[in-house]
Amino acid sequence: MLAPPAPEWRKLPISLTELCINTTLRCGQSFRWRKTPEGDQWSMALHGRIISLHQDSTHLHYRATFPSPASPQSTSDNTEALLHHYFNLSPNLSALYNSWSLADSNFARRAPAFTGIRILQQDAWEALIGFICSSNNNISRIGQMVHKLCIHYGPLIGHLDGEAYHDFPTPRALIGEGVEAHLRELGFGYRAKYLWKTARMVVQKEEETEGWLEGLRNPERPKLGGKEGTAGEMQEGGRDGYRRAHEELLALQGVGPKVADCVCLMGLGWGEAVPVDTHVWQIAVRDYKFGKGKHSSLTKATYDAVGNKFRALWGKEAGWAHSVLFTADLKSFSERLVSKIERSEMIEQSEQIEQSEQIGKQQGVVKQENGNGINDEDEKVVKKEIKTEDNKGEGESELKTTKSRKRKVTTTVKSEFVIESAIKMEPELHETLLEDGSMLDRVKRRRRVK
């Protein structure tokens, strides 16, 4: 039972430009934070306590609920230091955004609507398991899987507002003989095998070399309470420690280049790690001139080339800058680009549409569907400004003068091309697509045509 009365709220002075939890906790880094139905409070079990957060324009408000008043942690509460470490608050984020904007006009155009995004300093083991679950998945479903892992295998910390909160399970909690089968029953699919085997491999490596996984961490970003060190000189492909960590992670089950980079960036503190999934690949094609010549598809060489391009632009925090662009391109955040960046452009375009419509009516251009001019369906398309949500990127507003069915055909072809490229990089995707035979059949037919 948690100890009454409820702990008091405390506050940490920080502006929304330096940290925005409503963006940082929703952009696919951590999958255990829960938001209240009212939408203003986040909670999670972390380091033996339940942390609750909410934010205003000048402060991050927090409270920590411990399992009991006699808990050792409660007598020496280090929650402020924990939050400072977890949210990676030491770097001056405004200065970083300014530096990245000077280096890249595309970043300068998109970033103003997405200030306050920080790369979390998570536990490396939790990041590893979370991103194995992320393979060919969406943020909502990943969160559901991680929640199930915690409920069934993590230690219960306590209850808050009638809900149970469990901390993340240890590697040893996932190595039992029945774990894989149980995870399959819980809906993990092929990932169940990867999680079970990776847990066993990590336990074995930790027995052979104590602290093996933490030993892959960037010494400039030590774990909570650790001593900061140096990480060496930056090179095109990243520092030596990053490349070593990436290579060792690839030996684990269910870990490809993207998952390894996610763990390096968000679990081990290597800021130059640039995870390239099909979504980031679309950004690279659209905004950075990839998709042609030798980099026409997402091969291993192209994956490395995209990472090197971003590292050349943004240096040893390239993964951080890339995550801002990734967030800006997420469908769930697309309204920000429209409302904050393109509002004036939308008004101008709307006025142009109205003017064109008036001219058209005066000249008798707009006719009935059975006439020789524009039919009713096309007229509706011309009159409206359609916010595209296809592979050109969410949040970009442009006038569409073609029918919606044409756009669907184009989107389908692009999606199939992306799937083909993804299969080359992540072979296990083929098993997932078996659940969606229609899409897989279309990809196969396109291959036969080729």
Side-chain angles (χ1 to χ4, degrees):
M1 294 291 292
L2 293 174
E8 294 182 357
W9 286 94
R10 289 173 281 176
K11 59 185 181 180
L12 189 64
I14 191 164
S15 68
L16 286 168
T17 57
E18 287 297 306
L19 171 66
C20 177
I21 61 173
N22 280 332
T23 306
T24 300
L25 299 181
R26 291 171 55 205
C27 67
Q29 295 190 62
S30 176
F31 308 104
R32 290 200 293 130
W33 288 94
R34 306 183 205 174
K35 199 173 187 182
T36 58
E38 295 77 17
D40 63 347
Q41 183 176 315
W42 296 85
S43 297
M44 184 177 81
L46 185 67
H47 284 231
R49 73 206 77 182
I50 303 172
I51 292 180
S52 301
L53 306 172
H54 70 88
Q55 189 173 18
D56 57 32
S57 60
T58 59
H59 290 85
L60 176 67
H61 300 261
Y62 69 93
R63 69 180 180 186
T65 307
F66 289 91
S68 71
S71 171
Q73 297 99 322
S74 64
T75 59
S76 56
D77 188 354
N78 66 342
T79 303
E80 183 173 331
L82 172 60
L83 291 174
H84 193 280
H85 176 269
Y86 182 84
F87 283 108
N88 196 11
L89 296 182
S90 293
N92 183 314
L93 191 53
S94 298
L96 286 175
Y97 269 54
N98 184 57
S99 173
W100 299 332
S101 296
L102 290 173
D104 178 25
S105 60
N106 182 54
F107 186 94
R109 181 168 65 89
R110 291 178 175 272
F114 295 90
T115 56
I117 297 175
R118 288 190 176 266
I119 293 297
L120 302 175
Q121 295 192 125
Q122 301 179 77
D123 176 75
W125 163 249
E126 178 174 346
L128 172 61
I129 294 302
F131 286 110
I132 290 177
C133 291
S134 77
S135 177
N136 313 313
N137 220 339
N138 59 60
I139 292 174
S140 175
R141 189 157 179 258
I142 301 164
Q144 294 170 14
M145 287 183 171
V146 171
H147 184 60
K148 290 176 183 177
L149 272 178
C150 294
I151 289 175
H152 291 275
Y153 297 100
L156 176 65
I157 301 302
H159 293 77
L160 186 65
D161 297 330
E163 291 191 36
Y165 281 78
H166 295 75
D167 216 332
F168 201 77
T170 65
R172 287 194 176 276
L174 299 180
I175 64 174
E177 289 298 330
V179 170
E180 180 186 351
H182 186 216
L183 292 179
R184 286 187 179 275
E185 292 175 1
L186 294 174
F188 283 73
Y190 67 88
R191 302 171 193 85
K193 177 178 66 176
Y194 294 156
L195 296 176
W196 178 67
K197 286 190 174 182
T198 286
R200 293 173 70 91
M201 293 174 74
V202 169
V203 168
Q204 182 179 353
K205 286 178 178 291
E206 295 278 351
E207 288 175 347
E208 295 171 354
T209 305
E210 185 177 355
W212 167 78
L213 187 56
E214 282 295 329
L216 303 178
R217 179 178 293 279
N218 180 357
E220 293 178 354
R221 300 280 171 79
K223 65 180 182 179
L224 180 64
K227 186 178 179 181
E228 185 176 330
T230 58
E233 295 296 320
M234 185 68 180
Q235 303 172 41
E236 182 185 45
R239 289 166 287 188
D240 290 340
Y242 156 64
R243 294 200 301 273
R244 171 178 163 258
H246 189 269
E247 190 66 26
E248 292 207 31
L249 289 171
L250 289 175
L252 300 174
Q253 288 290 312
V255 178
K258 185 209 76 171
V259 171
D261 272 327
C262 287
V263 178
C264 283
L265 176 64
M266 291 168 258
L268 293 171
W270 292 105
E272 66 263 49
V274 178
V276 182
D277 59 4
T278 53
H279 193 87
V280 174
W281 171 239
Q282 291 168 37
I283 296 173
V285 169
R286 186 190 66 213
D287 299 330
Y288 297 95
K289 299 182 179 180
F290 282 86
K292 301 176 182 178
K294 64 180 181 180
H295 297 312
S296 60
S297 61
L298 188 53
T299 62
K300 177 62 169 66
T302 304
Y303 184 103
D304 293 340
V306 171
N308 290 339
K309 169 68 175 178
F310 289 167
R311 282 185 281 270
L313 280 174
W314 304 311
K316 66 178 185 179
E317 300 295 353
W320 194 335
H322 129 287
S323 296
V324 175
L325 295 185
F326 173 84
T327 303
D329 227 51
L330 287 176
K331 188 174 181 179
S332 56
F333 293 108
S334 61
E335 75 282 353
R336 294 195 190 181
L337 284 174
V338 174
S339 62
K340 294 188 178 181
I341 294 180
E342 300 176 358
R343 180 173 296 171
S344 60
E345 181 181 344
M346 290 174 63
I347 294 172
E348 180 182 347
Q349 290 175 343
S350 178
E351 291 173 349
Q352 290 173 354
I353 294 170
E354 291 177 2
Q355 292 172 5
S356 299
E357 184 185 61
Q358 291 300 322
I359 294 172
K361 286 181 178 179
Q362 292 171 8
Q363 296 178 350
V365 173
V366 179
K367 299 180 180 180
Q368 299 299 319
E369 185 172 357
N370 58 359
N372 294 322
I374 302 174
N375 62 31
D376 290 341
E377 181 183 1
D378 288 333
E379 182 184 356
K380 291 178 182 177
V381 174
V382 171
K383 284 183 179 179
K384 293 183 179 179
E385 175 176 332
I386 300 176
K387 185 170 124 183
T388 61
E389 294 180 354
D390 58 14
N391 288 323
K392 288 187 177 180
E394 298 86 342
E396 293 187 35
S397 297
E398 56 182 323
L399 296 177
K400 292 294 183 180
T401 57
T402 56
K403 297 180 182 179
S404 60
R405 60 176 174 271
K406 277 189 176 180
R407 188 169 68 247
K408 289 180 180 178
V409 170
T410 303
T411 302
T412 299
V413 172
K414 287 183 178 180
S415 297
E416 291 170 4
F417 171 76
V418 168
I419 288 173
E420 250 185 312
S421 300
I423 290 174
K424 294 176 183 178
M425 284 297 295
E426 303 281 353
E428 65 269 16
L429 174 59
H430 186 275
E431 183 173 346
T432 303
L433 287 176
L434 291 176
E435 300 173 3
D436 186 359
S438 58
M439 180 63 81
L440 187 59
D441 287 342
R442 288 198 294 271
V443 173
K444 288 179 177 178
R445 284 199 297 272
R446 290 186 66 244
R447 285 177 172 170
R448 286 197 293 270
V449 170
K450 292 178 181 178

